[in-house]
Amino acid sequence: MTEVRHMKWWGWGNEGIAFEHRNKPEFAPFVQKAIGLDVSAPSVYVPEFDTLDVPESRIGDSFQSELADIVGEDHVHVDAMSRVVHTFGKSIRDLLRVRSGSLERTPDVVVYPGDEEQVQQLVAAAVAANAVVIPFGGGSNIAGSLEPAPDEERVVISLDLGRLNQVLDIDEDAGLARIQAGALGPDLERDLGKRGWTMGHFPDSFTHSTLGGWVATRSSGMQSDKYGDIADIVRGVRVARPDGMVTIRAIPSASTGPSVREMIVGSEGRLGVITEATVQVHRTPEVREIVGYFFPSWEAGLAAMREIAESDASPSVTRVSDAPESAFSFATRKESKGIEAAGTKALMRVLKARGWDLDQICLSFVGYEGSASHVRYEKKLVKRIVKRHGGFGVGKGPGRLYDQKKFDTPYLRDFLLDRGAAGDVSETAAPWSKLQHLYDHTISSARKAYDDIGVQGWIMCHLSHSYHSGACLYFTFAFMHGDEPLKQYDHVKSAIQQAFIDAGGTLSHHHAVGVEHSAWLPQDISPEGVALMQGLFDSADPQRNFNPDKIIPRS
Amino acid sequence: MTEVRHMKWWGWGNEGIAFEHRNKPEFAPFVQKAIGLDVSAPSVYVPEFDTLDVPESRIGDSFQSELADIVGEDHVHVDAMSRVVHTFGKSIRDLLRVRSGSLERTPDVVVYPGDEEQVQQLVAAAVAANAVVIPFGGGSNIAGSLEPAPDEERVVISLDLGRLNQVLDIDEDAGLARIQAGALGPDLERDLGKRGWTMGHFPDSFTHSTLGGWVATRSSGMQSDKYGDIADIVRGVRVARPDGMVTIRAIPSASTGPSVREMIVGSEGRLGVITEATVQVHRTPEVREIVGYFFPSWEAGLAAMREIAESDASPSVTRVSDAPESAFSFATRKESKGIEAAGTKALMRVLKARGWDLDQICLSFVGYEGSASHVRYEKKLVKRIVKRHGGFGVGKGPGRLYDQKKFDTPYLRDFLLDRGAAGDVSETAAPWSKLQHLYDHTISSARKAYDDIGVQGWIMCHLSHSYHSGACLYFTFAFMHGDEPLKQYDHVKSAIQQAFIDAGGTLSHHHAVGVEHSAWLPQDISPEGVALMQGLFDSADPQRNFNPDKIIPRS
């Protein structure tokens, strides 16, 4: 049997782990007010795999044994559970579909190659047989990058990279590590950490996503302000194609264009299967701190982040939540007692006396890494900017808590879904000059969409990454769904996506295009830009074997 | 008449400006020793345009008037001088050919569109007529990116962007400027500077190169350590294609892959004509300093640069010359007198007393920008690292001089060529772990190549850009050529390029591929990588109208 663990077939993360609200006294009233959900109501959902109507595999004996010849019989899986687990990622659309048993099309087979040569042989065999290959990493994608097209009549192979999970080499002089594509975040960071290194890439999906997935979706992580987005971190890459390997050596920077490295990054399997990448790694910093700040308003918080980005400081994290998300954060705190609770109350009294509107408080986190003296220096620079915008520091406690809990958030979505509420996230990036309007327009578009479908909805936002010229805004939204949750969700999601584009943002800053965002591609990069991309796909994959229908829909 | 200035048809830069050695007393003996040239000998070359055998234009009246209908008669040039000026860039191969009258193929017409719409119409007309379009900016390219193929039988249009030279808009909130592709470095920096901004992109060609050229060749500048390479600086871009404009909006970062923005950067005109870019601009820093340092050896200098790159410091310039280039720098100083000369002598005595080998001294420059206190802070960090590697600071004087003179170096090449010496530059980038070997291997390969052709040659090097994982090494080489200078040059250049690749470097860090480097592309990015790129070109340009034969040679 193949020893590759997967997330729950019906939700996020590991079996046995779930969101817990009973130790968070402010959570229930908050959710009641926000979307009208009584969280004390029991779950209306019970996962029952056996009730699913899973389509038969179309693999056929001869092709199955051809694949088995390459990877070994043990690593070719056609059972229903394997195929269901590899059908979707973990967007709310995915969860709604798998929970309702809407499995129009699953992969016909899941294969687990053991090395790069086997990947290359699988790719060649698939093209020879005119089968479809969908690479699979951690399965955390939320843009629909993993699902087979419902009307796909050819054999669909889910090529799971889970056995290619090793840190192959660390070049300690250059700060470069060769790592196999199937390595999960925690595993590769553990192996790097043992030798004193970190890659510094921590997307929200970190615990259940892989290096190959990050590269294939142009991912970004919590500390990307310092370490760079995955497009910056990946210097070399290897991609299995039918006739051999694309081999991009690790070069710090090159004038060879059009950059093939950048064609691979974000290609979502449409150009072949990424087998390994050579990534920048850094010495584990002497000090790593995340400091919390309060701002009197969203406008003030945004302005401060912009000024930090323009300043001589270069923090690892810049994050500020709008008032609704700050309120949400406060509501998901565990019960605080004694001195801590008294301290919070006293602080709020002081702020009120100073004229702050407590409902408008925005919680911010800024991260610092480096030598102790460098962290002191940068904190001083940031403190001055924060103060200029009416904010102040609230210490390391909130940041430490956020840092520990940040990967648990997706479990909340299942908790809500179990009780009839659909929630998901949408994010974009835009120039600083457009962010306030983009924010306002997105919020009002979502509210209008909620009105259209007659639901009580919630939307909140944080700035998650800063750049010289702009930032990423990350929206989380939820509502009590009715009988047609998918249709309702699509209406709200579409309104948000269109608002992004209309306000000058991109269709996604770090969640990829997949099928969920592809409708906005021509508006984002222009029809002529899409045509260039289409030409690349057509020439690289004339039979449409490599994860077809992703990024650009079939015309 | 079109008011667009061009460089000398036979050499670098403006008419009337030339390298002057008579105020540099150490120059003549240095050159005599290095390559056996007596610089007091008069120039053997006199530019005589009328003696050139310039091929007839193949434009034909009807196509010429079609072009005139688009841009106006005044902006369609078919005269010999216009066509010769637009035939080559300024590599030593280009200079040797134009000086010898080897003009196998010139453009048949030079057109100067006045706006983006005219560019788009020209592109459409060219494709409709199956003509070749070669975009032309400042004409400073040294990779052969501008020349028509000698056997090109179709009409060749040199599309000069010189009239599209405006800074269109500065978004002061986002630090983004929309600038037309034909804007020359000094002009766009002047216009940005008036409003307190800088783009911070200063390639050696700065005075005679354009934004469009920088984008088309994936350029890099002296201060790219801080401001980024052009691939980082360019956020939005517009490209004229036969059916319309590719419009990439300025977005700080996006997960849309394969990145069309990155397909355009470095495309050398093969995907269409870049008309404008939206670039990151920064507030002119309060302080800008370039500090000189001495290292006792090349190894020590390299190691210090690596440590700076890994440190919490983020200087704008990191540069260290090997001993031969340091000696060359010393030899091109103007005569120093009095205290300065005495000071230098005293310093050398002290170093000798401390055990330094004066022939091994390596001169380094590190640049700092930001607030006064930030510059102080960074200088302190760097000072500590420099000291650890046995180096020490020699103040701001040498840096200021270097900063003022850096754009004059190309004039030296014409001075040498006038006297029978061929010289040029080749540069690469590689991981830190490979740099010392790459350096050694390149030097020994060049020496062997000189021996092969029986000349006394010179080669020197500096590290010009640092990255987390590696750096750019920039080699300058020269030799007294014989009767077949092109053949001799190709032998030496090829040896150097092959050494780069064999030692793990790229074919060029910032001079593009063109035709001079294309032979090494399959070794650099693998044949499968070249195939992806070829597919993109074939699909985007099935008739091969857009600057064909560049990057990937005709098969």
Side-chain angles (χ1 to χ4, degrees):
Chain A
M1 206 48 199
T2 312
E3 282 185 26
V4 173
R5 275 173 302 122
H6 294 288
M7 287 194 269
K8 299 163 183 165
W9 64 266
W10 54 272
W12 183 266
N14 298 327
E15 289 289 351
I17 300 187
F19 175 77
E20 177 53 71
H21 75 92
R22 277 165 294 190
N23 52 359
K24 304 177 183 78
E26 295 170 59
F27 183 74
F30 183 92
V31 174
Q32 179 73 52
K33 198 175 158 199
I35 56 170
L37 170 67
D38 175 6
V39 299
S40 67
S43 168
V44 296
Y45 175 70
V46 182
E48 286 179 291
F49 189 79
D50 295 340
T51 65
L52 296 185
D53 185 17
V54 183
E56 288 295 304
S57 168
R58 311 182 191 192
I59 176 83
D61 289 345
S62 105
F63 192 48
Q64 184 170 345
S65 64
E66 195 181 333
L67 299 179
D69 286 347
I70 297 171
V71 296
E73 241 173 72
D74 285 355
H75 302 301
V76 177
H77 297 213
V78 294
D79 62 288
M81 180 61 91
S82 292
R83 291 190 292 117
V84 169
V85 162
H86 288 82
T87 298
F88 296 124
K90 297 295 181 192
S91 74
I92 192 77
R93 298 189 79 243
D94 298 335
L95 301 185
L96 285 167
R97 285 182 292 176
V98 77
R99 284 172 172 224
S100 72
S102 293
L103 296 154
E104 289 182 86
R105 189 72 171 92
T106 66
D108 299 298
V109 59
V110 180
V111 291
Y112 294 88
D115 58 32
E116 182 179 273
E117 199 183 331
Q118 291 182 4
V119 177
Q120 207 277 315
Q121 288 171 353
L122 286 170
V123 165
V127 170
N130 195 15
V132 165
V133 175
I134 304 180
F136 194 96
S140 67
N141 180 274
I142 60 168
S145 306
L146 296 171
E147 64 196 70
D151 60 351
E152 182 57 71
E153 298 196 348
R154 298 171 292 176
V155 170
V156 176
I157 303 169
S158 180
L159 197 159
D160 191 310
L161 279 301
R163 292 171 66 207
L164 277 74
N165 57 8
Q166 299 298 304
V167 174
L168 299 173
D169 180 53
I170 302 176
D171 176 342
E172 308 229 345
D173 285 330
L176 287 168
R178 268 180 66 210
I179 305 177
Q180 288 184 304
L184 286 162
D187 296 345
L188 70 86
E189 277 294 333
R190 182 198 59 225
D191 290 349
L192 291 172
K194 274 183 200 159
R195 291 172 61 180
W197 296 90
T198 178
M199 183 171 156
H201 191 73
F202 300 102
D204 289 355
S205 63
F206 177 74
T207 46
H208 295 283
S209 54
T210 61
L211 173 60
W214 301 337
V215 177
T217 57
R218 280 185 84 88
S219 164
S220 185
M222 191 186 79
Q223 285 147 242
S224 294
D225 283 13
K226 174 181 165 70
Y227 293 98
D229 297 323
I230 202 75
D232 307 304
I233 294 172
V234 170
R235 303 321 307 168
V237 67
R238 294 175 63 86
V239 183
R241 302 255 314 141
D243 296 328
M245 300 298 300
V246 176
T247 306
I248 304 297
R249 302 174 306 159
I251 297 287
S253 186
S255 69
T256 301
S259 167
V260 173
R261 188 182 65 80
E262 288 272 0
M263 291 182 203
I264 303 305
V265 179
S267 58
E268 300 189 24
R270 290 219 50 177
L271 298 174
V273 179
I274 298 165
T275 57
E276 71 169 60
T278 301
V279 297
Q280 292 182 180
V281 292
H282 297 250
R283 286 277 174 207
T284 315
E286 183 187 333
V287 176
R288 180 172 179 281
E289 278 181 19
I290 299 182
V291 177
Y293 301 88
F294 276 4
F295 287 98
S297 70
W298 171 241
E299 290 74 10
L302 269 190
M305 295 304 119
R306 191 192 74 79
E307 203 172 322
I308 293 169
E310 198 188 4
S311 76
D312 290 327
S314 50
S316 59
V317 179
T318 48
R319 181 185 169 105
V320 57
S321 294
D322 67 357
E325 189 168 296
S326 300
F328 172 78
S329 290
F330 299 144
T332 51
R333 276 180 306 201
K334 288 193 184 169
E335 193 166 11
S336 59
K337 288 171 192 156
I339 294 172
E340 198 193 331
T344 307
K345 275 185 191 161
L347 174 60
M348 293 300 163
R349 268 199 306 275
V350 171
L351 290 178
K352 206 166 173 184
R354 281 198 203 163
W356 281 44
D357 178 348
L358 299 189
D359 291 336
Q360 294 305 317
I361 290 179
C362 290
L363 176 60
S364 166
F365 295 118
V366 178
Y368 307 90
E369 296 187 20
S371 67
S373 63
H374 187 68
V375 166
R376 267 198 308 277
Y377 171 73
E378 298 233 304
K379 274 161 72 174
K380 216 169 73 184
L381 293 179
V382 168
K383 187 180 179 179
R384 226 176 286 154
I385 295 170
V386 168
K387 197 177 167 189
R388 255 204 299 282
H389 294 276
F392 64 95
V394 292
K396 288 183 271 184
R400 203 176 300 125
L401 200 66
Y402 160 71
D403 202 24
Q404 286 160 6
K405 292 292 168 195
K406 60 185 182 285
F407 302 133
D408 295 343
T409 316
Y411 286 103
L412 173 58
R413 203 178 37 171
D414 287 305
F415 175 87
L416 294 174
L417 195 52
D418 289 347
R419 286 155 184 84
D424 214 335
V425 295
S426 264
E427 38 70 58
T428 185
W432 290 109
S433 51
K434 297 181 177 175
L435 286 183
Q436 182 65 50
H437 168 65
L438 186 149
Y439 173 82
D440 294 339
H441 186 51
T442 303
I443 299 287
S444 65
S445 299
R447 289 208 182 116
K448 186 181 167 302
Y450 291 141
D451 287 347
D452 293 342
I453 57 171
V455 301
Q456 182 184 352
W458 176 257
I459 183 163
M460 61 189 188
C461 174
H462 64 269
L463 176 152
S464 63
H465 302 79
S466 295
Y467 300 86
H468 171 75
S469 64
C472 168
L473 291 190
Y474 195 110
F475 294 84
T476 303
F477 57 102
F479 60 92
M480 288 299 291
H481 68 73
D483 293 341
E484 295 185 297
L486 262 182
K487 208 172 145 188
Q488 291 185 317
Y489 170 77
D490 283 346
H491 185 75
V492 176
K493 168 85 175 171
S494 293
I496 291 170
Q497 289 291 134
Q498 190 60 50
F500 289 169
I501 296 281
D502 291 343
T506 181
L507 58 80
S508 169
H509 167 264
H510 59 270
H511 287 158
V513 186
V515 298
E516 295 218 16
H517 300 141
S518 60
W520 289 274
L521 193 61
Q523 296 178 60
D524 193 335
I525 65 167
S526 77
E528 286 292 315
V530 176
L532 285 181
M533 206 192 260
Q534 179 78 63
L536 175 65
F537 291 151
D538 289 348
S539 59
D541 183 25
Q543 287 188 140
R544 307 180 71 261
N545 300 115
F546 300 126
N547 205 9
D549 309 304
K550 307 310 170 343
I551 305 177
I552 303 179
R554 214 178 315 171
S555 54
Chain B
M1 207 48 201
T2 311
E3 284 185 25
V4 171
R5 276 174 300 124
H6 293 288
M7 286 193 269
K8 300 163 183 165
W9 64 266
W10 54 271
W12 183 264
N14 297 326
E15 288 289 353
I17 300 186
F19 175 78
E20 177 53 73
H21 76 93
R22 276 165 296 191
N23 53 1
K24 304 177 183 77
E26 295 171 58
F27 184 74
F30 184 92
V31 175
Q32 180 73 55
K33 196 174 158 201
I35 56 171
L37 169 66
D38 175 6
V39 299
S40 67
S43 167
V44 296
Y45 174 70
V46 182
E48 286 180 292
F49 189 79
D50 295 340
T51 65
L52 295 187
D53 184 17
V54 183
E56 289 294 306
S57 167
R58 312 181 191 192
I59 177 83
D61 290 344
S62 106
F63 193 48
Q64 184 170 346
S65 65
E66 195 182 332
L67 299 179
D69 286 346
I70 297 171
V71 297
E73 241 174 70
D74 285 356
H75 302 300
V76 177
H77 297 211
V78 294
D79 62 288
M81 180 61 92
S82 292
R83 291 189 292 116
V84 168
V85 162
H86 288 81
T87 298
F88 295 124
K90 298 294 181 194
S91 74
I92 192 78
R93 298 189 80 243
D94 298 335
L95 300 184
L96 285 166
R97 284 182 293 175
V98 76
R99 284 171 171 224
S100 72
S102 294
L103 294 155
E104 288 182 86
R105 188 73 171 91
T106 67
D108 300 299
V109 60
V110 180
V111 291
Y112 293 88
D115 59 31
E116 181 179 273
E117 199 184 329
Q118 291 182 5
V119 176
Q120 207 277 316
Q121 287 171 354
L122 287 170
V123 165
V127 171
N130 196 14
V132 165
V133 176
I134 304 180
F136 193 96
S140 67
N141 180 274
I142 59 167
S145 304
L146 296 171
E147 65 196 71
D151 59 352
E152 181 59 71
E153 299 196 345
R154 298 171 292 175
V155 170
V156 176
I157 303 169
S158 179
L159 197 160
D160 190 311
L161 279 301
R163 292 171 67 208
L164 277 73
N165 58 8
Q166 300 297 304
V167 174
L168 299 174
D169 179 54
I170 303 177
D171 177 341
E172 307 228 346
D173 286 329
L176 287 168
R178 268 181 66 210
I179 305 177
Q180 288 183 303
L184 286 162
D187 296 345
L188 70 87
E189 277 294 332
R190 182 198 60 226
D191 290 350
L192 291 172
K194 275 182 199 161
R195 292 173 60 182
W197 295 90
T198 179
M199 184 171 154
H201 190 73
F202 300 101
D204 289 354
S205 63
F206 177 74
T207 47
H208 295 283
S209 53
T210 61
L211 173 60
W214 301 337
V215 178
T217 58
R218 280 185 85 91
S219 163
S220 187
M222 192 185 79
Q223 286 148 240
S224 295
D225 284 11
K226 173 182 166 68
Y227 293 98
D229 297 324
I230 202 74
D232 307 304
I233 294 172
V234 170
R235 303 320 307 168
V237 67
R238 294 175 63 86
V239 183
R241 301 253 316 139
D243 296 327
M245 300 297 300
V246 176
T247 307
I248 304 298
R249 303 173 306 157
I251 298 286
S253 185
S255 69
T256 301
S259 168
V260 173
R261 188 181 66 80
E262 288 273 0
M263 291 182 203
I264 303 304
V265 178
S267 58
E268 300 190 24
R270 290 219 51 178
L271 297 174
V273 180
I274 297 166
T275 57
E276 69 169 61
T278 301
V279 297
Q280 292 183 180
V281 293
H282 297 248
R283 287 279 174 205
T284 316
E286 183 188 332
V287 176
R288 181 173 178 281
E289 278 182 18
I290 299 181
V291 177
Y293 300 88
F294 277 3
F295 287 98
S297 70
W298 171 241
E299 290 74 9
L302 268 191
M305 295 304 120
R306 190 192 75 78
E307 203 173 323
I308 292 170
E310 198 188 4
S311 77
D312 290 327
S314 49
S316 58
V317 180
T318 47
R319 182 186 168 104
V320 58
S321 293
D322 68 356
E325 189 168 297
S326 301
F328 172 79
S329 290
F330 299 144
T332 51
R333 276 180 307 199
K334 288 192 184 170
E335 193 165 11
S336 60
K337 290 171 192 156
I339 294 173
E340 199 194 331
T344 306
K345 275 186 190 158
L347 173 61
M348 292 300 164
R349 268 199 306 275
V350 170
L351 290 179
K352 205 166 175 184
R354 281 200 205 162
W356 281 44
D357 179 347
L358 299 188
D359 292 336
Q360 294 306 316
I361 290 180
C362 291
L363 176 60
S364 166
F365 295 118
V366 178
Y368 307 90
E369 296 187 19
S371 67
S373 64
H374 186 68
V375 166
R376 267 196 309 277
Y377 171 73
E378 298 231 304
K379 274 160 72 174
K380 216 169 73 183
L381 293 179
V382 169
K383 188 180 179 180
R384 226 175 287 154
I385 295 169
V386 168
K387 197 176 168 191
R388 253 204 301 280
H389 293 277
F392 64 95
V394 293
K396 288 184 271 184
R400 203 177 301 123
L401 200 68
Y402 160 71
D403 202 24
Q404 287 160 8
K405 294 292 170 196
K406 61 184 181 286
F407 301 133
D408 294 343
T409 314
Y411 287 102
L412 173 59
R413 203 179 37 171
D414 287 306
F415 175 88
L416 294 175
L417 195 52
D418 289 348
R419 287 155 184 83
D424 214 334
V425 294
S426 263
E427 38 71 58
T428 185
W432 291 109
S433 50
K434 298 182 176 175
L435 286 182
Q436 183 64 50
H437 169 67
L438 186 149
Y439 173 83
D440 294 339
H441 186 52
T442 302
I443 299 286
S444 65
S445 298
R447 291 208 180 116
K448 185 181 168 301
Y450 291 140
D451 287 347
D452 294 341
I453 57 173
V455 300
Q456 181 183 352
W458 176 256
I459 183 163
M460 62 189 186
C461 174
H462 64 268
L463 175 151
S464 64
H465 302 79
S466 294
Y467 300 86
H468 171 76
S469 63
C472 169
L473 291 189
Y474 195 110
F475 294 84
T476 302
F477 56 101
F479 59 92
M480 289 299 291
H481 67 74
D483 294 340
E484 296 186 296
L486 263 182
K487 207 172 146 188
Q488 291 184 316
Y489 169 78
D490 283 345
H491 184 75
V492 177
K493 168 84 174 170
S494 294
I496 291 171
Q497 288 291 134
Q498 191 60 51
F500 289 169
I501 297 282
D502 290 344
T506 181
L507 56 81
S508 168
H509 166 264
H510 60 269
H511 287 157
V513 185
V515 298
E516 295 219 16
H517 301 142
S518 60
W520 290 274
L521 193 61
Q523 295 177 61
D524 192 335
I525 64 166
S526 79
E528 286 291 314
V530 176
L532 285 181
M533 206 193 258
Q534 179 78 62
L536 174 65
F537 291 152
D538 290 347
S539 58
D541 183 26
Q543 287 187 140
R544 307 181 71 260
N545 301 115
F546 299 126
N547 205 10
D549 308 306
K550 309 306 169 347
I551 306 176
I552 304 178
R554 214 177 315 169
S555 52

